[in-house]
């Protein structure tokens, strides 16, 4: 069989890993919120554990997109946004930001802006991947229909 099947599988792999990266960043943010409210050291450890998996997920996505310059550029913007979010989350713990302080509200606003930007970037990548998937599936279906 030609490459059309593998192209479809590849696109599914990109989308799955893109959503996985999105979930990891959301989990890290949620764990930091729990930590700020509870000051539970185990929650902070869980935050660090999740945060430490993000670079590997990014590298894998980059390897999947290595032949698509436009997607690599978008992924670069995703990486910048994630790194900025993680620095911001780390600063919460170091600065002893708590939910009952005014700085917490400022920080939450900044985090929401970064979260919105990250979501936009991920959706842009996903839209292009879904478009590629549609084209690749059509090509694959045309090729296998010849064997029916």
């Amino acid at each position: 069989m030609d490459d059309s099947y593998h192209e479809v599988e590849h696109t599914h792999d990109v989308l799955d890993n893109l959503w996985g990266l999105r979930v990891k960043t959301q989990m890290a943010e949620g764990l930091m919120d729990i930590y700020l409210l509870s000051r539970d050291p185990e929650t902070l450890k869980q935050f660090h554990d999740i945060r430490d998996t993000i670079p590997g997920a990014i590298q894998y996505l980059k390897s999947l997109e290595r032949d698509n310059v436009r997607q690599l550029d978008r992924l670069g913007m995703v990486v910048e946004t994630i790194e900025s979010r993680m620095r911001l989350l780390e600063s919460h713990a170091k600065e002893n930001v708590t939910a009952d302080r005014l700085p917490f509200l400022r920080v939450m606003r900044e985090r929401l802006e970064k979260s919105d930007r990250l979501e936009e970037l991920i959706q842009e990548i996903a839209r292009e991947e879904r478009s590629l998937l549609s084209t690749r599936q059509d090509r694959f279906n045309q090729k296998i229909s010849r064997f029916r």
Side-chain angles (χ1 to χ4, degrees), residues 104-119:
F104 183 77
L105 297 176
R106 176 189 52 81
V107 163
M108 286 301 289
R109 187 176 326 118
E110 188 176 350
R111 278 179 41 197
L112 285 172
E113 289 170 4
K114 291 186 184 309
S115 294
D116 289 346
R117 179 64 181 141
L118 180 60
E119 187 63 25

Side-chain angles (χ1 to χ4, degrees), residues 70-90:
R70 190 163 67 194
Q71 290 292 66
L72 276 176
D73 288 344
R74 286 184 178 135
L75 195 51
M77 290 185 280
V78 166
V79 170
E80 289 174 21
T81 305
I82 289 173
E83 288 173 349
S84 175
R85 273 177 81 187
M86 292 303 119
R87 282 191 303 273
L88 187 59
L89 292 173
E90 284 285 340

